[in-house]
Every structure is written in C-alpha cells, then in structure tokens.
Amino acid sequence: MTDKRTLLDALAAALQEATKVNGSTQVKPAAVLWPDTDRQWLPVFMNLRERCNGLLQLGAYDPKAFRGPAIWLKCLIGGSIAQDEAAQGAHIVHLPGVSRADLRAIETCPRDLQPLAELQYRGVFWSQSNGKDWTVNAFLTSKNGGLGLDVAQDKATQEALIQAVEAGVLLERPVVELMGRSINAAWLNSLLAPNPTRDLLVWMNDPEAAHAKWSKQQWAIFDKRAKADFGFDPKADGVLVAAEKLAKAEGQWAAVSELYKDSFGSFPKIFDLLAQVQPPQRNLFDGFEGQEGYPQANEGGESSLRYALAACGPMMPDQARDEIAKIEKEHGVRRSWLWARMGQAPLATALEFLAKVASASKQLPVGATPDALALSYQQTGWQVDAAAMRALAAVTSKVDIAAVSLALRAVYLPWLEESAKRLQDAVKAAGGLSVAAQANGAEPVAGVCTVFVDGLRYDVATRLQELLGSFGTTTLDAAWTSMPSVTASGKAWCSPVARWISGNLADTEFQPRVSADGKSLSTHNFRKLLADHGVQFLDKHETGDAAGAAWTETGDLDHYGHQHGIRLARDMEVQLAQVVERILELEQSGWKKFRIVTDHGWLLLPGGLPKSELPKHQAETRWGRCAVLKDSAHGTPLTFGWDWCNDVQVAYAPGVSSFVAGSDYAHGGISLQECWVPVLNLESGTSAVGSAKATIDSVTWKGLRCTAVVSSQSVDLNLDIRTKPAQSSSSLVAQPKLLVDGKASLAIVDDDQLGAAAVVVVLDAQGNVIQKLATTVGG
C-alpha cells in the first residue's frame, strides 16, 4: 500500500516521540520545549495542532488558539488552570523567537520567559542531538532524528524552503515522493508558483487587483520569480516595461506571449497596455518583420491598407488585380498575428478574399450554350462570388466597408458584367432559357421533406452543404429557375406541385395560377394545392408526419438582402443558422430525407448595380432587373416570354445593370448568379464511404483550458468547442486546433463562459462534425 504520510505527519510524529520515555528508568517529562529562534515553524502551528493534541504556543493570550504568555502556559501545564479536552495530552510547547540558550541562562533569561525556564529541568527539549534548534532545513536533511532528504544548501533554495513552508505547499506533500529527489530552488519555486507565466499575465492585466488578491507570501514569490525567470522587477519596472517585453517576446517572454495568444480573452486589459507600446522602426524592405507583437504596428498596417485598397477603385481591372496581389504579399502576414484573431485586422482578413476574387476573376465562365456556361460556373465560377461575399463579411466599420467595396468593385464588376453578357448572348441564341429549362420541382415522394429557402444562391448553398455535412450524406446539384428569376414565379417552379401550375397573360406580377381552376397561386391556394396532392405544409415549428411528403419554408436571405443590401454578406452565417436549426428540428422529429430548393439567386455589388434606362411608358410593371412590357412597347434586345406564360413579354436589363438606380442587391435578371440555382439533397443518419471516424476518449479541464484525447485512424482531424455542434459560428475558441497524436488543447476566449454548457466536437478535413461530446466549460 502506498505510504501517504506527509511531511507534516512526520513532524508531528517526531514531536510525539519526544514525549515518550522509558517508564522504568525515567520520570515522564512535564513538557517538551520546542525552541524556534527564527520562527520558521510558526506558519504550521495550527495545522500541526490537529495532529498533536497537547501542542501549545508561547505568545499573546488566546486560549482558543492554544496560545498564551509564559505564566499561563506554566499554570496550564501545572494543572492550576482547568483544561478542556482539546488542550489535554502530553504538553509540547512551541517557543517562536526563543532559543534553547535563552532558557538555559536563567540569570539572563527575559522576565517574561522566566516562568518556563525551570521546565528545562522537569521537561525535555526537542532539539537536534548537537543541541541546536530543529530548523526546517535541519529536520528535512538530518539523518539523526530528521528525514534524511536531499536538500540543496544554496541561499536560493533555503529562501524558497521557508517560503514553501509559509505558503503551506511543502509540508502536505508525501514523504515518499521526496525520497530520492533533489529538493532545490527550481523545484520549490514550481510548487510555490506552478504557473508563473500565467501569474505574470494576471498581474499585467490588473496589478492592483492581483496585489490585493494575493497573500504576502504569494506576492513575494511572484516578485522573486519575475526577477529570476523573466528579468523583470514588478515594483521598479512597472506594467509598461512588462508590456514592452511581452511585445518583443524574447527569451522567457516567448512563453508568456504564447500563453497570451492562447487565452487573450482571460486578460482583456493587456491589449490596451500593449497598444501603448511603440513598435520598432519599420523597414519597408523587410515588410512587417519584427512587428508582430505590437498592436500599433497592426493598426498602422490597417491604415495603410485602407488607403491602398481605396486607391484600387479607379484602376482598370488588370491594374487593380495586380495591385491587390502586391498588397496581399505585403499585408497577408498580418492575418497570422494575434490581432487578426481578436478582430483587430478586418482589412487584412478581407484582403485574403479580395486576392482570391482578383485572381479567380481572370477566368470567365466558358461555353456556347447556357448549359455549358452553367457547368463552367458550377465548377469554378461560383468561387468568385463566394470570395466576394467573404471579403464584404470581414468588415463592419463604414470606412473599412468603403475601402473594401472600392477594391472589390474594380475587379468583381467587370467579371460579373462579362459573365452575364455571355449567358445573355447564349440565351438569345437559344431563344430563351425555357428551351433548356423545365420546372425543376420533383414529384411528391413519401418520406421527403422539401425545404424552401428564399434566395439561396449557389455559392451560399455550398456553405450550407458544409454546415449540414455532420447530419449525413449531402449532394449538391443545380438547375435553371424560371424566367424571370423572382420569388412568385420561382417558388412555384421548384415546388413538388409545379406540374399543376400555369400562368396567363394577366399575370403581370409573375404570380402563376392553379391550372385546375385558374385561381391565383396565393399562399392559401398554394397550401391547398400541396394538400390536394398529398404534401403536408409545415408552418414554422410544425414537424408533421415523417412518413409522408412535406413542404416547409425557412431562412430569410432574400428579404434580408432587399432590406440591408451588402450587410447580407456579414450576416449570412446567421441566416444559414436558421436553416440548419429548422432542418435539425425536423431531423430530430423523424425526418431523414430532405430536398432543399430555392426560387432564385441574386446579384450583390457594393456601390450599386449600373443603371439601365427603360422608359416608364413602355413598362406595365417594372422591377430592378426586369420589366413586363406593354403591348404597345417595342421589344428590347433582351426580351423573352415568361416561362409560365410565353405571351407575357419580359424585358431584361443588360449585363448586371438595373432599371432602378442605387440597388446593391437585386434579382430577376439573366445571370448565372440569379438563374442557376442549387438543389441540395440531404439524407440524414448516413455517412459517405470512407468517411472519417473518431472516438473522444477523455475531456479534461484546467480552468478555461480543455484538453481532449481522441482515438482515430484518420488524419487531419481538428478539435473545436461549440455551444451548437453543427454551427461553427457558435465556437467558443479562437480557432479549432489540429489533433496531434490524438490530442489537442484549446482555451476558451471568454471568461464569462465558465460553467456554460458546451460540446467538444471533432472535425474532419472538410470541417464536418464526425464526433461530439457534451461538456461543461471549466469541468
């Protein structure tokens, strides 16, 4: 059985041993006197008292603490003062500040000690065999009456030894643990300050609060470790010097810097401190080398980047592309800095996606027919739109949005314009999209829930596919929507009752009718038509019967785009989260197969779409990207019949222009973004062949840091901590961590999350959740 005896137990045993005598040859001592000249044992008295029932102490009168002056102790030992049960037993008298010599020389013994002097003749001293006091060092090292441990005798170790006793971190350790160990200053300091790096950050974050919270011993230890380990004097140097050293991150401060990067959310005031530190002079030829630790350098970089991006606005497309590539080469490094993770480098973040737009927009969709162009767009073209959205999503302030918008417009608008013209030319050659397009609504199928998302553009659907990857198997297809690409027409086009719908010449608002009775396809009539053909309409949180067929509507992309323009890019994750939550709600209610459809895509361009003229007297109704012509009007070069009724003639704005000025967001025209729409199929509860598998073996917390051990045969797995497992936007950490040898450690960035419910998730190389485990932040 493991010996659990602690150093304090050993000390108590040694004192108790001193009370024992051979009864046949010796008289039982009246008391054991324990001299402690340097008061080294003073901090352990009360803990030791629990192990030694008769332990008393010389000092100010406090009978509840078993402490009193010499005369009180003399009377207590002599029995003239009644003892309670706790004070009974063989008396051991601790004498802090008193040496054996003080009592030996009676004639010079201080008057207040004289009542105890005669006890040296009726009692015994607990001293070393050479008559010297038992110091902490002597008790630990002596092989004659002590423990015989290996304790370094240098000054630093001896100071740390006393501090360890005062702090209570040494005497509670098992003796067996110390046998064979070299007890030195470094090891003792590790007990006194197990995490000096974190202590330094705690102090920097709020010096006054740390000083008030720490005990005298803790402060002394911190002060000592700061000087010894970090070459820094907290009192003499102050927090600004500490901030300078943290910014440089040289020597031992490199570890401090790494800890701060991992858990900056726990030290919110340090950023403002670092922001006061002036960075070294920047050499333009060296870029930002040596500038990483300085918020001022990042702020200066953002300012220069803002100017550089804005300057791209009036440039020709190729010139703007070259300039953005040059800017990316200079400023891209700042995305790896902590300040970018803290949201302090939005322009550098946006620049990554601007550079992708600049590079990818050199290649236009190719093909002589609408289908060929659509295939080209589906293969690579959508990535330009996705990068443009992410560039806009990265910035929030007015000045940053303006700078990113100017640079983006310079390279994105020409690509949009030429891509749209290529499709429009192909559509004119084909006589309209209706030649290639058919209503893409699938027949009602039992067990399939059709989820309608208004305005789900193809590039956005690829992101939705990522978010739904953990649900099961997903496949992303695409099809043409109806012309024009507006909600009333397109929603009917992708519905499972499309073949029972038609239009007529009077439908100038593009809302078709129920073929059977000619009634307008209002919300009521659409729901009735669904019901007539065995399709349940599931409103809001309704879940219906998973054995049947169903239609439900979720998401608010189109309405949000019309209301907020380019802000849609920034809030897209929130919009998609609504879709994911609705599908999760249905999946948990028994639905396993989903068909996610939409009515149309859209164009989103900062600064507004170019204006195209169409005289009002020629239009029966006019939308941003299309208009119904009057019978008397002459057709434009882009005039085609409405797909639900060819007699309704619709004029389309050329390129990506709009009949209404100032619109950042619009749809209804002829472009790949508006007309080539996604069809996303999800089969819940299944996984792709060869998909990654993992098992979470353990999750342990130390404060706000979580360490997880995962078993898996797969590689390139990452660990994340979220409040909602399927939503990356709910992550509580700065970024997921790669599992190395099946292990990863992450720090929660927000102290307020301590105690919150969370989920540890394992992600495959595509970001899909392949395993999850519920946990509580902090353990």
Side-chain angles (χ1 to χ4, degrees):
M1 185 172 66
T2 303
D3 185 0
K4 297 183 179 180
R5 187 175 58 122
T6 66
L7 288 177
L8 197 60
D9 292 331
L11 176 61
L15 288 167
Q16 294 287 7
E17 187 65 26
T19 67
K20 298 176 182 178
V21 296
N22 187 339
S24 62
T25 60
Q26 291 178 286
V27 177
K28 183 179 179 180
V32 174
L33 302 178
W34 176 13
D36 182 13
T37 309
D38 297 328
R39 305 176 188 269
Q40 291 186 0
W41 299 105
L42 194 59
V44 305
F45 176 79
M46 290 308 296
N47 285 335
L48 189 61
R49 183 68 182 69
E50 297 174 0
R51 292 165 171 82
C52 296
N53 199 39
L55 186 60
L56 303 170
Q57 187 179 63
L58 176 67
Y61 181 65
D62 187 353
K64 292 183 179 180
F66 313 104
R67 183 176 65 240
I71 189 63
W72 177 78
L73 293 171
K74 178 70 175 291
C75 294
L76 191 64
I77 293 168
S80 57
I81 296 179
Q83 302 181 50
D84 60 25
E85 184 178 348
Q88 295 174 1
H91 295 294
I92 303 168
V93 183
H94 178 226
L95 304 171
V98 178
S99 68
R100 182 169 180 164
D102 290 335
L103 294 175
R104 280 287 195 186
I106 297 179
E107 65 279 1
T108 58
C109 180
R111 186 176 181 83
D112 58 350
L113 283 178
Q114 287 179 2
L116 297 178
E118 63 88 17
L119 287 176
Q120 64 185 300
Y121 305 111
R122 294 193 300 118
V124 295
F125 280 102
W126 185 61
S127 300
Q128 298 185 62
S129 58
N130 59 9
K132 293 183 178 180
D133 292 355
W134 277 114
T135 62
V136 173
N137 178 67
F139 182 69
L140 295 182
T141 60
S142 176
K143 296 180 180 180
N144 186 8
L147 299 177
L149 301 177
D150 180 13
V151 180
Q153 297 302 302
D154 59 279
K155 182 181 179 182
T157 299
Q158 294 302 308
E159 290 178 353
L161 194 62
I162 299 305
Q163 288 178 328
V165 171
E166 292 176 346
V169 298
L170 179 62
L171 294 183
E172 293 292 348
R173 303 194 77 83
V175 175
V176 69
E177 178 187 316
L178 305 180
M179 292 179 176
R181 172 188 288 279
S182 176
I183 300 174
N184 54 31
W187 182 75
L188 290 168
N189 284 335
S190 71
L191 298 181
L192 292 163
N195 196 341
T197 305
R198 184 177 179 82
D199 289 344
L200 192 54
L201 291 174
V202 169
W203 174 78
M204 288 179 65
N205 187 63
D206 195 334
E208 292 183 2
H211 204 293
K213 180 180 179 181
W214 291 340
S215 67
K216 182 179 179 181
Q217 289 82 7
Q218 285 176 303
W219 172 257
I221 294 164
F222 167 72
D223 186 69
K224 178 182 177 181
R225 294 296 298 273
K227 294 172 183 175
D229 296 348
F230 301 101
F232 166 73
D233 187 334
K235 291 182 180 178
D237 296 332
V239 289
L240 283 179
V241 172
E244 290 173 357
K245 291 181 177 292
L246 177 59
K248 288 182 179 179
E250 296 176 346
Q252 290 290 93
W253 284 87
V256 185
S257 176
E258 286 303 311
L259 179 59
Y260 178 59
K261 290 176 183 178
D262 276 349
S263 52
F264 60 85
S266 299
F267 311 104
K269 297 181 181 179
I270 290 182
F271 176 81
D272 291 335
L273 193 63
L274 288 169
Q276 299 178 50
V277 180
Q278 188 171 342
Q281 190 68 33
R282 180 187 170 199
N283 186 331
L284 294 180
F285 294 102
D286 295 333
F288 287 95
E289 185 176 348
Q291 305 272 307
E292 179 178 355
Y294 302 88
Q296 282 190 25
N298 178 67
E299 185 178 357
E302 287 288 285
S303 296
S304 63
L305 177 55
R306 188 178 298 112
Y307 175 83
L309 291 177
C312 293
M315 295 180 182
M316 296 299 292
D318 287 342
Q319 182 186 6
R321 291 187 181 102
D322 291 343
E323 184 63 20
I324 290 173
K326 177 183 174 183
I327 296 169
E328 162 66 11
K329 188 175 181 180
E330 177 185 1
H331 288 271
V333 66
R334 291 194 294 109
R335 288 193 295 274
S336 65
W337 293 3
L338 170 62
W339 323 123
R341 284 167 47 200
M342 295 176 69
Q344 298 294 327
L347 289 175
T349 302
L351 180 59
E352 176 183 5
F353 305 107
L354 283 172
K356 289 181 179 179
V357 174
S359 176
S361 62
K362 295 177 183 179
Q363 181 66 48
L364 288 160
V366 294
T369 65
D371 285 349
L373 287 165
L375 179 61
S376 176
Y377 175 79
Q378 191 172 349
Q379 289 173 338
T380 59
W382 66 269
Q383 297 173 11
V384 181
D385 294 320
M389 289 288 287
R390 296 195 67 178
L392 290 171
V395 289
T396 56
S397 71
K398 187 175 181 179
V399 290
D400 287 350
I401 292 173
V404 169
S405 296
L406 286 168
L408 178 62
R409 189 179 178 91
V411 294
Y412 187 43
L413 175 56
W415 180 84
L416 283 175
E417 185 76 19
E418 185 58 32
S419 297
K421 287 181 178 178
R422 289 190 176 193
L423 177 62
Q424 290 162 9
D425 288 344
V427 170
K428 284 191 289 185
L433 267 182
S434 59
V435 174
Q438 296 178 355
N440 59 44
E443 293 287 323
V445 177
V448 175
C449 181
T450 302
V451 180
F452 173 76
V453 182
D454 194 352
L456 183 65
R457 199 168 71 173
Y458 187 86
D459 59 300
V460 179
T462 65
R463 174 58 181 154
L464 180 59
Q465 184 182 26
E466 292 177 6
L467 296 175
L468 294 174
S470 62
F471 284 62
T473 301
T474 60
T475 57
L476 180 58
D477 298 318
W480 295 109
T481 189
S482 65
M483 288 181 65
S485 49
V486 295
T487 298
S489 179
K491 181 178 174 181
W493 190 262
C494 67
S495 74
V497 290
R499 71 188 186 95
W500 293 287
I501 297 172
S502 60
N504 65 37
L505 189 60
D507 298 328
T508 56
E509 294 294 334
F510 305 124
Q511 180 163 291
R513 300 170 180 272
V514 179
S515 298
D517 56 17
K519 292 182 178 179
S520 176
L521 197 68
S522 63
T523 299
H524 171 76
N525 289 331
F526 177 61
R527 294 184 181 186
K528 184 177 183 300
L529 185 62
L530 288 170
D532 290 344
H533 292 85
V535 181
Q536 308 165 70
F537 182 90
L538 307 180
D539 194 10
K540 293 183 179 179
H541 299 292
E542 293 177 354
T543 55
D545 179 6
W551 167 281
T552 191
E553 300 172 13
T554 186
D556 196 29
L557 278 69
D558 185 44
H559 179 262
Y560 200 89
H562 283 298
Q563 291 291 315
H564 301 286
I566 62 172
R567 186 174 172 179
L568 173 63
R570 188 180 74 191
D571 295 333
M572 183 59 74
E573 288 293 311
V574 176
Q575 297 300 317
L576 292 181
Q578 296 177 18
V579 179
V580 173
E581 287 181 9
R582 177 58 171 151
I583 292 175
L584 177 61
E585 180 180 44
L586 291 165
E587 193 259 353
Q588 291 176 340
S589 299
W591 290 95
K592 298 302 178 185
K593 294 183 179 181
F594 301 89
R595 178 179 170 86
I596 303 166
V597 298
T598 192
D599 48 356
H600 58 75
W602 32 267
L603 296 172
L604 185 71
L605 184 69
L609 300 173
K611 179 70 166 62
S612 182
E613 297 299 332
L614 179 69
K616 290 184 178 180
H617 68 272
Q618 294 188 19
E620 186 72 34
T621 59
R622 188 173 65 164
W623 303 53
R625 292 272 291 144
C626 62
V628 176
L629 296 178
K630 292 181 177 179
D631 292 339
S632 59
H634 297 289
T636 67
L638 282 175
T639 299
F640 301 96
W642 178 35
D643 280 335
W644 289 110
C645 178
N646 200 52
D647 292 335
V648 178
Q649 292 295 290
V650 184
Y652 295 90
V656 291
S657 63
S658 173
F659 295 138
V660 179
S663 297
D664 291 339
Y665 173 94
H667 60 86
I670 302 176
S671 71
L672 291 163
Q673 289 79 8
E674 297 164 282
C675 299
W676 188 243
V677 294
V679 179
L680 180 58
N681 291 288
L682 165 65
E683 187 168 351
S684 175
T686 63
S687 58
V689 176
S691 62
K693 295 181 180 180
T695 301
I696 301 176
D697 297 324
S698 68
V699 172
T700 56
W701 290 88
K702 288 186 178 179
L704 290 171
R705 178 166 289 279
C706 173
T707 300
V709 178
V710 177
S711 297
S712 178
Q713 298 298 316
S714 304
V715 295
D716 297 331
L717 300 183
N718 287 275
L719 195 74
D720 198 1
I721 303 175
R722 303 173 175 177
T723 57
K724 297 181 179 179
Q727 295 180 23
S728 61
S729 59
S730 71
S731 178
L732 300 177
V733 301
Q735 60 185 17
K737 277 279 187 75
L738 180 69
L739 283 162
V740 179
D741 296 328
K743 186 176 181 180
S745 179
L746 302 103
I748 303 298
V749 298
D750 186 357
D751 281 353
D752 292 340
Q753 294 293 339
L754 188 64
V759 182
V760 175
V761 296
V762 180
L763 309 172
D764 65 13
Q766 290 73 44
N768 300 315
V769 177
I770 62 172
Q771 191 54 268
K772 60 186 179 68
L773 183 67
T775 186
T776 300
V777 175

